[in-house]
Amino acid sequence: MEIFNGSFTQQEPLSQEAIDAALRVLHSGRLHRYNVEEGDAGEVALLEIEFAERVASEFCLAVASGGYALATALRAVGVKPGQKVLTNAFTLAPVPGAIASINAVPVLVEVTENLTIDFDDLEAKAPQSDVLLLSHMRGHICDMEKLLKITNRHGIRVIEDCAHTMGAGWNKKPSGSYGIIGCFSTQTYKHINSGEGGLITTNDPQIMSKSIALSGSYMMFEKHLSAPAKAHFDGVKYETPNISGRMDQLRAAILRPQLKELDNQIARWNERYMIIESFLRRVEGLQIIERQTQENFVGSSFQFLLLNRSYAEIQSIVEGCKSRGVELKWFGQGEPIGFTSKYDSWKYIPSQKMTKSDRIINSILDMRLPLTFSPEDCKLIATIIGQEVERKTPLERNG
Ligand SMILES: *Cc1c(COP(=O)(O)O)cnc(C)c1O
């Protein structure tokens, strides 16, 4: 029996260009974003300009993390303590965490077998809130035009959590540019890697001036180049609390070269994703997550469903794969471990019954596809999963 020896958590090294850029910042000693020499924009301000352009957005702010970006977005649109915020039930802890961090209350919306938000349930819960924090969880993107029809009809503003969709899009329009705000993460396991980091994009000058002030601008907002005109700060500069969460020059310096390479990296991710998908499509007893043709996704991770299986059966498939080096994350596991997390383990939010999502989330198997995996590695991983699933497939159809 083949065994896979690669590591699901090993990212590629940074390029020499990124390392050189980091060394320039370190030699300069000027690591704070506002500590720039006369005439020098600084790495952070340049990253913001380049990222805004990349996602076809008017303005961009770089911050300390993706989770910080989400909380800042919620504050910037004026979510108040006690206010309800809609969000999808299938997501990771930073999303309900951002809502809870400002003492707002998540209202969970069911998900479909495509792992995207359930429009019927959204429609039903729409009267409860005027903000939707939409998580494009694991890079699965719902029909954004249809979503905006629903949210516009109900006067709901959409904040997009694009932690898994940097570089992705719907119908050729960048993910993050559909809602009023896009929030991105540059944490190690996302699409560009600065260890920690986040980006906020919007076309709304009020939201951006408020976000900049919130992030801790020390009245240095004129050093921001991807920002609205000075006049937009008049109404916010004395009114907005400073909740420091800026990005530093070192991170920005290593992100800028990575941003230039993003399209190449996406092509490499999708090559790996398609190898696994086409292989697993032939395996009986598991369900592929279908993508719509308008979805311009980034296949940086892979999910499939083991629907209608018992807990013990799924557990045994997970263990079988693990013993052969393929570590699958199982969202239905009793205890959340590693990066998995299910809504019912977020005890800080009101308990909610998600009947439809339970069936789906409990059957999700998930793995990252770091670019250190070769196409050959992906074939091997898919072979192992296929064998383990088929070995444990009830044989009734063979009769
Ligand atoms: C990673 C992630 C974030 C942002 O997290 P940080 O670790 O704070 O950068 C937000 N949403 C989802 C779904 C994520 O996986």
Side-chain angles (χ1 to χ4, degrees):
M1 273 202 318
E2 306 99 314
I3 287 187
F4 177 63
N5 290 313
S7 163
F8 283 83
T9 55
Q10 181 61 59
Q11 310 302 320
E12 291 187 298
L14 297 198
S15 67
Q16 193 56 48
E17 192 186 349
I19 293 169
D20 291 344
L23 288 175
R24 276 195 300 276
V25 171
L26 291 175
H27 284 300
S28 78
R30 294 176 177 268
L31 272 76
H32 191 279
R33 72 166 294 161
Y34 300 131
N35 183 220
V36 288
E37 282 184 285
E38 194 61 39
D40 181 14
E43 295 287 338
V44 183
L46 293 174
L47 171 69
E48 287 165 345
I49 291 178
E50 290 158 5
F51 193 74
E53 196 178 297
R54 166 83 215 199
V55 299
S57 185
E58 194 88 23
F59 312 118
C60 173
L61 170 68
V63 294
S65 74
Y68 182 89
L70 295 174
T72 303
L74 291 164
R75 287 190 172 101
V77 301
V79 175
K80 297 279 177 302
Q83 192 178 324
K84 291 177 176 169
V85 174
L86 299 159
T87 192
N88 28 327
F90 177 49
T91 186
L92 289 176
V95 177
I99 299 171
S101 78
I102 58 163
N103 292 315
V105 182
V107 173
L108 302 178
V109 182
E110 303 266 20
V111 293
T112 68
E113 288 180 18
N114 291 342
L115 305 189
T116 55
I117 194 161
D118 183 310
F119 290 146
D120 293 336
D121 198 42
L122 177 62
E123 196 72 74
K125 288 172 179 160
Q128 297 189 45
S129 177
D130 65 353
V131 177
L132 166 64
L133 178 47
L134 176 72
S135 182
H136 303 297
M137 178 61 174
R138 288 296 185 252
H140 298 278
I141 305 169
C142 70
D143 182 331
M144 292 303 294
E145 282 121 23
K146 203 167 162 192
L147 176 98
L148 288 187
K149 273 205 191 105
I150 298 173
T151 53
N152 288 341
R153 185 153 28 82
H154 289 278
I156 292 173
R157 293 163 298 163
V158 179
I159 297 170
E160 292 182 71
D161 167 21
C162 303
H164 305 160
T165 53
M166 183 187 290
W170 173 266
N171 223 350
K172 311 244 155 56
K173 189 168 145 41
S175 185
S177 69
Y178 280 90
I180 53 165
I181 306 183
C183 297
F184 300 80
S185 171
T186 64
Q187 192 235 76
T188 291
Y189 298 110
K190 319 292 166 135
H191 297 170
I192 54 178
N193 174 10
S194 59
E196 303 283 359
L199 293 153
I200 299 173
T201 58
T202 184
N203 292 334
D204 184 316
Q206 268 327 102
I207 287 177
M208 184 46 71
S209 53
K210 198 159 173 211
S211 300
I212 289 172
L214 282 164
S215 76
S217 63
Y218 297 126
M219 300 294 161
M220 306 285 253
F221 46 83
E222 284 176 85
K223 288 201 192 287
H224 286 253
L225 302 179
S226 183
K230 202 177 155 202
H232 286 283
F233 291 87
D234 290 345
V236 301
K237 62 183 177 187
Y238 303 132
E239 311 296 326
T240 310
N242 175 327
I243 307 172
S244 286
R246 297 164 303 271
M247 183 179 279
D248 57 84
Q249 309 283 22
L250 184 55
R251 290 179 202 189
I254 62 177
L255 288 172
R256 292 179 62 212
Q258 293 181 64
L259 195 56
K260 284 194 291 181
E261 286 302 311
L262 183 57
D263 283 329
N264 284 338
Q265 302 294 72
I266 291 173
R268 295 174 63 216
W269 263 309
N270 288 354
E271 179 193 2
R272 285 154 179 76
Y273 185 96
M274 291 317 297
I275 288 171
I276 295 184
E277 190 197 90
S278 62
F279 194 95
L280 290 186
R281 238 178 223 297
R282 302 192 296 264
V283 173
E284 298 228 26
L286 64 74
Q287 184 170 318
I288 296 292
I289 313 299
E290 296 300 341
R291 305 272 195 176
Q292 292 175 271
T293 49
Q294 300 96 318
E295 219 178 318
N296 320 118
F297 65 95
V298 180
S300 55
S301 67
F302 195 93
Q303 296 73 42
F304 59 90
L305 302 181
L306 291 174
L307 288 165
N308 308 319
R309 300 295 195 97
S310 70
Y311 191 92
E313 275 180 302
I314 299 179
Q315 192 163 39
S316 124
I317 291 169
V318 170
E319 278 163 12
C321 289
K322 187 165 183 220
S323 70
R324 298 173 66 185
V326 176
E327 280 188 53
L328 297 172
K329 309 263 182 188
W330 176 24
F331 279 82
Q333 188 130 7
E335 266 301 301
I337 48 170
F339 279 82
T340 65
S341 126
K342 202 183 150 209
Y343 71 87
D344 54 11
S345 57
W346 307 328
K347 302 293 185 205
Y348 50 86
I349 75 168
S351 148
Q352 295 164 63
K353 191 80 206 105
M354 309 302 294
T355 319
K356 185 174 176 189
S357 301
D358 272 343
R359 177 177 160 270
I360 297 160
I361 297 175
N362 288 340
S363 76
I364 299 175
L365 281 299
D366 171 41
M367 63 185 162
R368 294 196 185 99
L369 297 178
L371 289 171
T372 49
F373 289 1
S374 67
E376 284 308 312
D377 289 337
C378 294
K379 281 181 204 154
L380 177 56
I381 290 166
T383 304
I384 291 172
I385 293 173
Q387 288 171 353
E388 293 300 316
V389 168
E390 289 191 333
R391 213 142 57 89
K392 272 128 193 161
T393 294
L395 295 174
E396 73 276 8
R397 66 176 183 280
N398 298 342

